[in-house]
Amino acid sequence: MKRLLLLRHAKSAWPEGVEDHERPLGNRGRRDAPRMGAYIAASRLQPDFALVSSARRTQETWGLVELALAGPCPFRTVPSIYEAEPEAILTAIREAPEESERLLVIGHNPGFENLATLLALDGDADALARLRTKYPTAGLAVITFDVARWENVAPGAGRLESFVTPKTLV
């Protein structure tokens, strides 16, 4: 079984004159990213590999999440998931190291919301409803697949275990 963690980057700032790709995290993002990392660690969702968009805000989110994890996690920067359509993100997932069982992907909306709803047609009813309503910054969808290889992940084959946002954390 494979477990996919789709984490939308934390809240970014909008500094004047800065290109979208280079936008940093804002104050709320710098607060929320470590909280989500701590949630991942406390929930025993420790990833064994991560794929991270090349955008500055996703790289900064990863840096803060990684510090809160239970241990080190190898990662790869994947430029193709920056502002990507669901199919491009799914391609990156299918190319993840096969030995990884829990894969964390950090990227952007609307690609993440569209991908999560495409992959998980079943699961926790409340989580599915919240996911389909809004996928806020630092939102985390946890989707399981009854497959042995990432290349076999397919639309509709996942089960949404949970959908957590900074506002839903106690």
Side-chain angles (χ1 to χ4, degrees):
M1 181 170 72
K2 299 288 188 185
R3 181 169 282 137
L4 176 64
L5 290 76
L6 291 176
L7 178 65
R8 184 176 173 201
H9 65 79
K11 185 71 173 172
S12 61
W14 292 84
E16 193 173 318
V18 174
E19 291 182 24
D20 183 75
H21 190 269
E22 298 307 316
R23 288 191 297 120
L25 290 181
N27 292 335
R28 191 172 93 199
R30 286 191 297 276
R31 181 189 72 229
D32 289 346
R35 289 179 66 216
M36 295 307 291
Y39 169 81
I40 290 169
S43 300
R44 299 182 184 201
L45 294 170
Q46 173 78 22
D48 45 33
F49 199 81
L51 302 175
V52 185
S53 161
S54 58
R56 180 177 173 186
R57 59 194 178 272
T58 54
Q59 294 287 319
E60 290 180 0
T61 298
W62 167 239
L64 294 170
V65 166
E66 184 181 30
L67 289 174
L69 294 177
C73 175
F75 80 101
R76 179 184 320 142
T77 297
V78 184
S80 65
I81 63 175
Y82 167 68
E83 298 287 312
E85 294 293 324
E87 295 77 20
I89 304 165
L90 183 54
T91 296
I93 291 166
R94 288 176 172 157
E95 294 171 354
E98 287 307 325
E99 63 274 9
S100 66
E101 296 297 321
R102 290 174 310 282
L103 178 67
L104 172 64
V105 184
I106 303 177
H108 312 267
N109 243 10
F112 267 37
E113 181 175 345
N114 294 336
L115 178 63
T117 57
L118 178 73
L119 293 176
L121 301 179
D122 187 27
D124 180 275
D126 179 57
L128 282 165
R130 287 184 295 107
L131 172 70
R132 291 176 180 143
T133 301
K134 184 177 182 183
Y135 203 125
T137 53
L140 175 70
V142 180
I143 305 170
T144 56
F145 298 89
D146 190 16
V147 298
R149 305 173 61 84
W150 288 112
E151 67 184 16
N152 297 327
V153 168
R159 183 177 200 298
L160 184 66
E161 284 186 15
S162 62
F163 182 62
V164 179
T165 67
K167 287 184 178 180
T168 62
L169 294 178
V170 179

